[in-house]
Amino acid sequence: DSHVQYERVGADVTMKCGSMDWDAAVTWTANGTDIDESHLNGSYLILKNVDLSQSGQYSCYEGSSWHLKYQTYLRVGTPPKEPVLMCRSNNYPKGFYCSWHLPTPTYIPNSFNISVIHGTKDMVCEKDAIPKNRCHIRYLQLFSTVKYKVTLTVTNALGKNFTTLTFDEFAIVKPDPPESVVAKPVPNNPRRLEVSWQNPSSWPDPESFPLKFFLRYRPLILDQWQHVELSDGTSHTITDAYAGKEYIIQVAAKDNDIGTWSDWSVAVHATPWTEEPKHLTTEAQITETTSASTSSFMAPPTTKICDKGAVVGSGAVAVCWTAGLVVAAYSVLFI
Amino acid sequence: MAAADSPSAALQRRDLCSRGIRLAGKMRADVVDLLDTYVERQGLDASASVAAVEGVPSAAVERWDEQTGTQRLLENLAAYRAFRALLAQMLEEQREQLGDADAALGRALAAVLLQVSAFAYHLEELLRLESRGIPGEEGAGPPPPPRLSLFEQKLRGLGVLRELAQWAVRSARDLRQLAKPSPAAGSAPGLAESP
């Protein structure tokens, strides 16, 4: 006879050789390897303080004839700890799903039973094929103040455990993150980035159940995020980006009225538009182009330190201004 | 039959729906704040379960997506009329119990009552737009409920406000459904009357 035997980690296990007498001469094997006689008490096999590595096939043979008298598959494991259960509606108002897992493995097969009660009504949670530890349920009522009570029981050969979750219809609404997030530079605008995205495809009716969005962005070189909340629309233009810096951008979604924010979307990277670098120019060309800069001060042609080239900066303006003053002062002295 | 969906009627409906959605949003935010104040001032446990109270219109609905526009308006109107009476009663009870001791709660209740009345009127406007007769309010109203103990009154008040908060969310959803352009055939739920 071959069968399965489940034992707890740390337990002492005694195996009998089928119907053989205690004093019969027998040989035990574990996964085909002979077991030392020191583990025997007569014809009984004694395993003390079993651990996971002792799982396997145990066979008992009659001493002289080597007839197989008994065989068992020993599975060492643990009873289940309290399972972790989560319920969420990412497709409101269609329904919600619950998923679960065990915090630590039991090493032996477990079965799960889930019950959902809404007020006094029992509801059926249809188990998903994939993933296994998940079931989904359709809302029969909307806008109910009556709480849902979900109880998950996990059972194995060594014990059982359970957990219960109680929640409101609105509290578990959490959309999936927005999809297809795209960020693009805006031509001729060194401080802008155009971001667009789509509603998560799992959200069934964005027209009747509109989502609002939260955008966050920062240059890669900084840790601080900027945030923008958007009550409608699936696009936004960032207008305060640092010129020339690569940005990381993410978007999250939430039902306009109820529930919690989604996880952040996949991050996208973008760098604002930058002007093509100019070729090196002569002094004459620089003085001609100076008026196009933000500085309104015209540098004297001979003052090389005012050579700003394509760079515009308040520092450069101050240098030019100082040089101009010096020249003017000298001019006054020689009048 | 519903009124012909002339362009101006459609625009008016959309405008009324948009304003109604904003009203419902504001109302919900205020009811949620009022709930916090009420629970605190009345010494209640925020997570206390309150059994369905007689006379409080339940926002819960089955097959919500299959409702016609007219059904939505009529159910909403009936609910807010009931809340108007219930809140007035709560205000009266609160004044009796505490007098001027808790003016803040009284003011918050009165403010929500005003919004509920305004919303009921708004719904009547929408019904008028659809050339629907506005159902009359019951003359004498239902008989006054039996005198409740102070604690029972407080629990009842909690139930009223919780249900009102649900209704405010539902109403915004209902109005969004209403604001959708009517399909030509009129067979899909919109503002077409059910046969």
Side-chain angles (χ1 to χ4, degrees):
Chain A
D1 263 344
S2 178
H3 68 321
V4 182
Q5 186 172 348
Y6 294 98
E7 300 289 346
R8 284 187 191 219
V9 169
D12 294 338
V13 180
T14 300
M15 285 187 199
K16 289 185 183 175
C17 187
S19 54
M20 300 288 281
D21 292 333
W22 175 82
D23 57 358
V26 298
T27 305
W28 282 92
T29 63
N31 297 325
T33 307
D34 285 9
I35 298 175
D36 189 74
E37 276 182 15
S38 60
H39 294 283
L40 267 57
N41 177 356
S43 64
Y44 297 174
L45 174 64
I46 312 292
L47 299 172
K48 287 195 176 289
N49 192 21
V50 291
D51 62 39
L52 294 171
S53 66
Q54 287 172 288
S55 294
Q57 190 171 69
Y58 289 80
S59 310
C60 177
Y61 299 90
E62 192 180 8
S64 49
S65 66
W66 272 92
H67 282 150
L68 178 65
K69 287 296 180 183
Y70 178 75
Q71 197 168 64
T72 187
Y73 201 96
L74 177 67
R75 303 268 321 244
V76 181
T78 60
K81 288 210 163 87
E82 186 179 330
V84 177
L85 174 66
M86 177 272 279
C87 297
R88 180 180 154 216
S89 175
N90 65 340
N91 62 345
Y92 190 80
K94 276 205 177 139
F96 64 92
Y97 72 86
C98 294
S99 72
W100 55 87
H101 66 271
L102 287 170
T104 53
T106 60
Y107 304 99
I108 60 176
N110 307 296
S111 69
F112 296 90
N113 192 328
I114 191 159
S115 82
V116 181
I117 302 172
H118 184 217
T120 53
K121 203 171 180 175
D122 271 314
M123 299 176 79
V124 175
C125 199
E126 309 266 0
K127 282 207 177 159
D128 290 347
I130 297 164
K132 267 191 324 175
N133 290 1
R134 191 159 136 157
C135 69
H136 62 271
I137 196 160
R138 289 192 75 86
Y139 280 122
L140 296 176
Q141 266 190 350
L142 289 180
F143 314 110
S144 171
T145 45
V146 174
K147 289 186 194 285
Y148 290 83
K149 184 172 163 179
V150 181
T151 303
L152 174 74
T153 307
V154 55
T155 310
N156 69 19
L158 300 174
K160 68 200 286 187
N161 214 323
F162 75 97
T163 189
T164 300
L165 213 57
T166 306
F167 52 83
D168 288 316
E169 176 188 319
F170 290 174
I172 60 165
V173 176
K174 177 180 171 178
D176 286 328
E179 293 172 7
S180 309
V181 183
V182 172
K184 289 191 290 206
V186 178
N188 301 305
N189 275 286
R191 302 202 65 190
R192 289 186 176 219
L193 285 169
E194 218 165 65
V195 189
S196 65
W197 58 90
Q198 285 175 5
N199 289 313
S201 50
S202 51
W203 196 252
D205 189 1
E207 212 183 313
S208 307
F209 296 82
L211 294 171
K212 59 182 176 184
F213 302 97
F214 213 78
L215 191 97
R216 71 175 185 180
Y217 58 96
R218 65 173 172 84
L220 282 183
I221 54 171
L222 294 179
D223 289 330
Q224 193 90 0
W225 291 96
Q226 297 276 83
H227 293 101
V228 182
E229 186 167 331
L230 304 152
S231 56
D232 56 20
T234 52
S235 63
H236 176 72
T237 303
I238 295 165
T239 55
D240 61 350
Y242 291 116
K245 301 297 176 208
E246 186 180 352
Y247 271 76
I248 178 168
I249 299 147
Q250 288 178 296
V251 193
K254 181 186 169 300
D255 176 87
N256 221 39
D257 302 311
I258 63 175
T260 57
W261 287 98
S262 72
D263 291 339
W264 289 106
S265 69
V266 166
V268 294
H269 292 241
T271 308
W273 173 91
T274 46
E275 201 175 345
E276 285 290 320
K278 289 203 175 96
H279 297 298
L280 288 171
T281 53
T282 62
E283 257 183 81
Q285 281 175 306
I286 287 163
T287 51
E288 275 173 28
T289 56
T290 304
S291 57
S293 75
T294 54
S295 160
S296 56
F297 182 75
M298 280 287 281
T302 54
T303 315
K304 287 206 169 71
I305 50 178
C306 286
D307 184 345
K308 292 186 289 235
V311 174
V312 173
S314 53
V317 170
V319 168
C320 287
W321 195 80
T322 313
L325 255 185
V326 167
V327 169
Y330 267 105
S331 315
V332 164
L333 272 174
F334 286 109
I335 288 168
Chain B
M1 289 288 284
D5 205 14
S6 69
S8 71
L11 269 170
Q12 260 188 293
R13 184 199 310 135
R14 234 185 24 235
D15 179 53
L16 276 172
C17 286
S18 302
R19 282 196 281 135
I21 291 165
R22 282 196 296 278
L23 270 173
K26 171 82 172 73
M27 188 163 51
R28 192 211 175 191
D30 287 355
V31 171
V32 167
D33 287 344
L34 174 56
L35 257 167
D36 288 340
T37 308
Y38 190 84
V39 158
E40 194 201 313
R41 299 295 168 104
Q42 303 288 44
L44 296 168
D45 177 0
S47 61
S49 275
V50 181
V53 186
E54 204 184 308
V56 179
S58 171
V61 57
E62 294 186 12
R63 300 186 208 279
W64 172 85
D65 52 331
E66 294 172 18
Q67 286 199 324
T68 65
T70 308
Q71 262 176 307
R72 293 178 198 280
L73 284 172
L74 290 172
E75 284 187 24
N76 271 269
L77 183 58
Y80 286 95
R81 280 176 171 174
F83 279 118
R84 196 166 53 196
L86 287 162
L87 285 170
Q89 190 184 0
M90 277 173 71
L91 201 52
E92 192 55 45
E93 285 166 359
Q94 197 258 348
R95 281 179 188 144
E96 275 175 22
Q97 287 161 30
L98 299 159
D100 289 330
D102 199 345
L105 181 57
R107 274 198 302 272
L109 267 167
V112 166
L113 172 54
L114 200 58
Q115 290 182 65
V116 164
S117 302
F119 197 73
Y121 180 73
H122 204 81
L123 293 165
E124 288 171 3
E125 286 289 295
L126 272 161
L127 277 163
R128 265 186 214 108
L129 190 64
E130 302 312 311
S131 303
R132 294 280 314 177
I134 297 167
E137 300 197 53
E138 286 157 46
R147 196 79 185 148
L148 298 172
S149 72
L150 185 58
F151 184 64
E152 283 167 331
Q153 277 178 16
K154 289 179 180 182
L155 277 188
R156 188 160 197 267
L158 184 62
V160 167
L161 294 177
R162 276 190 186 154
E163 211 58 52
L164 178 57
Q166 298 291 99
W167 264 104
V169 175
R170 177 177 162 182
S171 301
R173 313 282 197 199
D174 279 324
L175 291 176
R176 278 197 198 99
Q177 291 291 94
L178 274 166
K180 282 179 174 171
S182 305
S187 55
L191 276 156
E193 209 171 307
S194 46

